[in-house]
Amino acid sequence: MSSNEPRWTQTWLGGVRSAGIDLGYPGERLGLPEEGSGSVAGWGRRIAALVIDWMICTWVVVQLLLRMNPAESPWAPALVFALQYLLLVGFMGQTFGHRLAGVRVAAMDGGAPRLLPVLVRTVLLGLALPALIWDRDHRGVHDRVSNTMVVRM
């Protein structure tokens, strides 16, 4: 074995990139730019948008407007989150958190997603697990099933 070749444990633990295989940048297979507007949104922006939306749903809507205690009614923030997500992404293509993080949900053709795929995406996002399983283009199971992607604005 040459000193330039990776050890078998490096290829097994590090994935195919550590073996020297170039998979390209996230979104390349989809025809998206590598950086800037229209490129695949990174995990930092997506998580920031999720946290912002969750705080809005929990503190502003559930506690201030509905006057409910999230500790006593843990289903309320989840229900409000799903409802606001469905309505805002379905009609505007992004939530308040998405807007503040500089991302939007797009259909695979780059346009606004339709209401039925957004409904499917919302249900799967509510289950959480599909959002934690993603491909090399940063698309979770909820994105793949609904034929959507999250891109930078």
Side-chain angles (χ1 to χ4, degrees), residues 28-102:
E28 184 174 15
R29 294 183 311 162
L30 306 174
L32 302 177
E34 186 172 2
E35 294 181 11
S37 181
S39 65
V40 172
W43 294 112
R45 289 177 185 263
R46 293 177 79 153
I47 291 171
L50 179 67
V51 169
I52 291 167
D53 286 332
W54 189 258
M55 288 189 315
I56 289 171
C57 291
T58 302
W59 293 340
V60 176
V61 177
V62 172
Q63 289 184 334
L64 292 176
L65 295 176
L66 299 178
R67 305 256 186 235
M68 297 174 73
N69 183 356
E72 294 173 1
S73 304
W75 54 268
L79 184 64
V80 169
F81 177 83
L83 184 62
Q84 70 92 23
Y85 196 91
L86 176 65
L87 292 174
L88 293 177
V89 174
F91 292 107
M92 295 176 18
Q94 61 187 178
T95 63
F96 298 119
H98 286 151
R99 180 73 178 171
L100 291 172

Side-chain angles (χ1 to χ4, degrees), residues 5 19 45 53 89 97 101-102 134 137 151:
E5 293 179 27
R45 289 177 185 263
D53 286 332
V89 174
W134 63 86
D137 292 316
V151 295

